[in-house]
Amino acid sequence: MIIVMKSGAPKKDRDEVVKRIKELGYKPHIIHGATRDVIGAVGDERGKSVLQSLESMHGVENVVPILQPYKLASKEVKKESSLVRISDNVSIGGKQIIVMAGPCSVESEKQIIETAIEIKKSGAHMIRGGAFKPRTSPYSFQGLEEEGLKLLAKARDISGLPFVTEVINPETADLVAEYSDMLQIGARNSQNFALLKKVGQLKCPVLLKRGMSMTIQEFLMSAEYIMSEGNQSVVLCERGIRTFETATRNTLDLSAIPVLKEKTHLPIVIDPSHGTGHHHYVAPMCYAAVAAGADGLIVEVHPDPEHASSDGPQSLKPVKFDLMMKKLRLFAEAADRSL
Ligand code: PEP
Ligand code: MN
């Protein structure tokens, strides 16, 4: 249920409503709007009609049911787009399109620092790089783990850019969060509910990727797992879904952008690297994503893709990334966005 407070209702009225929601066995989530606050009361769907009685409380305008199965992620609860703050200079979901770039895996100090410096020169806003890698084969490179996190922190110090890195299980989530500006939940873990709950309890923003065979509704339900634990800083990432097509690694579902924009207030980032699997398809998909309304891009960039430990074929060399960024500016302007 959504409890819509009257515009200008005093804090003490809101506190009373919050108290009553808890007494009725529901979890209150206060959402501050431009003109009024709303309180999402989430919990057992079956007895929710008892919440209707809150309508008679001071400062309450009305009480309305949330029709979608996802509640906190829904536009029904919050109409304005959310701005997710990553650092003092970087927020996702505003007019500026945020570009995250870097290697699939952190491999060495030289590799990650060289990449961070190059992408910054080209105008990227964040570094990406995997330290804990979820690989299809147990025999493939699994990442440098904590050493990789330290190298990412060093690259951040040198470049001044915050970084996003993947977290693959609840056991190492605190460790990864200690170092990181943003936690990535990968496609393979997007319905790992124990992991979603765990990152929901942390203070760090989350980049949630869409699973390979996930519907939009399932995607938003995964975001709901994180948000219902208290972490509202969730950014969605479309990275391609599995279809019958084999010419690309995945099928990048750009129609997910307008669909999600209609259903949720959360920002949307596009990953054309995993979405296509081939470096020469990456730039056109970046332009198309911006035209379709994406709030950001996450792009794999490697100084020596031929020798990359993972995802070399889909990684751009810094010079190609630079060309893409130059042209992207034009598309951003046409979409009334900035880079
Ligand atoms: C990655 O970002 O390198 C990655 C493993 O992505 P995904 O989970 O989308 O496959
Ligand atoms: Mn990758």
Side-chain angles (χ1 to χ4, degrees):
M1 289 290 210
I2 313 168
I3 294 85
V4 184
M5 299 302 290
K6 286 186 178 143
S7 157
K11 183 176 174 298
K12 80 170 181 4
D13 287 356
R14 199 188 67 202
D15 292 346
E16 281 301 313
V17 173
V18 165
K19 194 167 143 231
R20 188 71 192 124
I21 292 171
K22 286 184 188 158
E23 282 167 6
L24 291 170
Y26 287 80
K27 209 167 164 182
H29 294 269
I30 302 170
I31 295 127
H32 302 286
T35 56
R36 65 184 76 225
D37 290 338
V38 303
I39 307 167
V42 291
D44 191 350
E45 281 292 289
R46 288 162 298 181
K48 68 180 184 199
S49 57
V50 298
L51 292 162
Q52 208 70 51
S53 65
L54 298 174
E55 219 153 39
S56 59
M57 289 185 77
H58 272 296
V60 175
E61 175 119 343
N62 56 5
V63 177
V64 283
I66 311 173
L67 300 175
Q68 297 295 346
Y70 41 88
K71 312 289 177 194
L72 302 170
S74 163
K75 262 210 158 156
E76 291 179 77
V77 164
K78 184 167 182 276
K79 297 212 168 21
E80 313 99 74
S81 304
S82 285
L83 192 63
V84 174
R85 187 186 175 281
I86 309 300
S87 68
D88 286 347
N89 305 319
V90 179
S91 292
I92 308 175
K95 187 166 170 146
Q96 188 179 36
I97 290 163
I98 299 302
V99 180
M100 313 168 193
C104 179
S105 309
V106 178
E107 295 161 8
S108 68
E109 179 164 336
K110 183 172 178 295
Q111 174 236 24
I112 190 65
I113 288 172
E114 200 178 307
T115 309
I117 293 170
E118 289 290 340
I119 59 147
K120 180 169 187 190
K121 266 197 252 161
S122 303
H125 311 91
M126 287 178 71
I127 305 166
R128 68 141 286 149
F132 289 86
K133 294 303 299 178
R135 304 306 300 280
T136 302
S137 163
Y139 309 118
S140 299
F141 178 56
Q142 304 285 309
L144 296 181
E145 304 189 340
E146 189 168 3
E147 180 55 23
L149 297 174
K150 288 186 177 149
L151 295 178
L152 281 162
K154 199 161 182 184
R156 170 178 57 202
D157 289 346
I158 292 171
S159 66
L161 302 181
F163 70 84
V164 56
T165 194
E166 186 158 352
V167 53
I168 58 171
N169 56 41
E171 294 74 29
T172 53
D174 289 305
L175 174 78
V176 179
E178 245 174 67
Y179 287 91
S180 312
D181 303 289
M182 187 177 212
L183 301 172
Q184 175 178 320
I185 303 276
R188 291 156 191 80
N189 265 318
S190 54
Q191 283 187 314
N192 178 341
F193 301 120
L195 180 59
L196 296 173
K197 283 188 189 174
K198 175 68 196 178
V199 300
Q201 290 153 10
L202 300 175
K203 292 273 177 285
C204 201
V206 178
L207 183 72
L208 173 66
K209 289 203 169 191
R210 181 179 182 181
M212 301 183 193
S213 57
M214 221 183 207
T215 64
I216 298 273
Q217 178 152 314
E218 287 164 342
F219 192 14
L220 290 170
M221 292 308 283
S222 287
E224 192 74 15
Y225 260 96
I226 300 170
M227 298 174 86
S228 66
E229 292 293 325
N231 189 348
Q232 309 299 307
S233 298
V234 178
V235 174
L236 304 170
C237 178
E238 159 64 39
R239 47 75 73 204
I241 50 176
R242 191 164 278 181
T243 68
F244 53 83
E245 185 54 73
T246 53
T248 45
R249 181 177 177 185
N250 290 290
T251 297
L252 186 62
D253 180 13
L254 290 180
S255 65
I257 302 168
V259 174
L260 286 166
K261 286 279 170 199
E262 190 177 80
K263 296 182 185 299
T264 180
H265 53 86
L266 299 174
I268 301 146
V269 162
I270 294 295
D271 175 348
S273 308
H274 296 87
T276 64
H278 294 279
H279 66 92
H280 40 279
Y281 303 151
V282 169
M285 289 296 100
C286 289
Y287 310 144
V290 166
D295 299 298
L297 296 166
I298 180 163
V299 180
E300 286 187 340
V301 175
H302 196 291
D304 182 14
E306 291 83 355
H307 297 101
S309 303
S310 56
D311 288 348
Q314 68 193 34
S315 299
L316 296 181
K317 289 185 178 160
V319 47
K320 286 275 166 56
F321 177 71
D322 191 64
L323 286 173
M324 184 282 287
M325 287 293 280
K326 286 203 167 84
K327 203 162 160 187
L328 190 68
R329 266 172 222 291
L330 305 174
F331 286 95
E333 256 172 55
D336 197 24
R337 306 289 289 264
S338 62
L339 248 192

